[in-house]
Amino acid sequence: MNKSIKLSALVAAMLLSSGAFAAKSGYGTDGHVDNVVRNGYGECWKDGTFNKEANGLVECGDRVAPKPVVVAPKPVAPAVVSQIKSFTLSAAGLFAFDKTVITSGNAALDGMVTELKNDKYLKSVAIVGHTDSMGKPDYNQKLSERRANAVKDYLVAGGIPAEKITASGKGETEAKLTAQCEKVKVRAQRIACMEPDRRFEVTVETAKEVKM
């Protein structure tokens, strides 16, 4: 009987002694796998008095598990890809017939100025003027150039950098209604028939943001 008591005491001493050198300081542990020894009630076997806040184990209910640190994801900058915008403006809404002075209060050009000023990726604006086939080709060429430059000046006055804008003219070389409208004998009606040929083609080189 005495031998049995001594053996039990020796085993307990060995367990407690192993806990002193274990990673789980302050608890009795199994020296082989470093598991905390528990009593018959499932409670952890503590090796004397210790600081629960510093050394207590969450698994034994002696310390609250720290809240996980939530790292907010870094915002991903959108990718920027090149973009070309092309549209046509009627000269009828900008100029009187055979004139090169832009009419005041032009809503179409004012809208274009606003859009271009708000475009942070704007690279270039190309303005190409066209005329109808009425009159001599050389005259129409110069007329288309003067009108294109008048549009450019309007954009620059509105705040668009001049170095981003080019202006050129093609005269009547790309008129599309000549054959159809030459059949009209009344001059005023022929002028109205050819109105779509009196136009500007505007090409805007810019970029847009694309979410990845």
Side-chain angles (χ1 to χ4, degrees), residues 7-212:
L7 180 61
S8 298
L10 178 60
V11 171
M14 290 174 64
L15 288 174
L16 294 176
S17 177
S18 64
F21 297 100
K24 299 178 180 180
S25 176
Y27 295 88
T29 59
D30 183 338
H32 296 291
V33 292
D34 201 28
N35 289 329
V36 176
V37 177
R38 297 176 182 268
N39 61 22
Y41 299 99
E43 299 171 331
C44 293
W45 190 311
K46 298 179 178 60
D47 181 11
T49 303
F50 65 100
N51 188 334
K52 289 185 179 181
E53 184 177 348
N55 302 317
L57 294 178
V58 174
E59 64 190 87
C60 293
D62 292 328
R63 183 165 57 91
V64 178
K67 294 182 179 180
V69 178
V70 179
V71 180
K74 294 182 179 180
V76 178
V80 178
V81 297
S82 298
Q83 183 181 37
I84 301 296
K85 298 179 180 180
S86 300
F87 53 93
T88 301
L89 291 175
S90 172
L94 307 180
F95 301 93
F97 180 72
D98 199 29
K99 302 297 181 182
T100 59
V101 178
I102 295 177
T103 55
S104 60
N106 192 277
L109 284 184
D110 289 341
M112 185 164 66
V113 167
T114 300
E115 181 177 347
L116 295 177
K117 286 179 68 174
N118 292 331
D119 187 349
K120 64 181 179 179
Y121 296 116
L122 178 65
K123 293 182 179 180
S124 66
V125 182
I127 304 166
V128 181
H130 297 269
T131 69
D132 59 34
S133 59
M134 296 181 69
K136 295 182 178 181
D138 288 347
Y139 177 84
N140 287 335
Q141 177 61 36
K142 292 178 181 178
L143 177 64
S144 67
E145 292 173 359
R146 290 198 296 269
R147 284 183 165 182
N149 278 293
V151 173
K152 175 182 177 179
D153 292 342
Y154 195 98
L155 298 184
V156 172
I160 311 304
E163 64 272 14
K164 293 186 177 182
I165 308 174
T166 59
S168 60
K170 291 189 175 182
E172 63 182 70
T173 59
E174 295 184 8
K176 301 175 182 179
L177 299 173
T178 302
Q180 174 184 334
C181 296
E182 280 183 343
K183 300 175 183 179
V184 179
K185 301 304 180 182
V186 180
R187 185 172 184 275
Q189 294 177 356
R190 188 163 64 254
I191 291 174
C193 178
M194 292 183 174
E195 180 179 305
D197 281 340
R198 302 187 291 274
R199 68 194 189 279
F200 295 91
E201 292 175 351
V202 182
T203 303
V204 177
E205 184 182 4
T206 181
K208 65 178 179 179
E209 296 181 353
V210 179
K211 294 182 178 180
M212 302 302 289

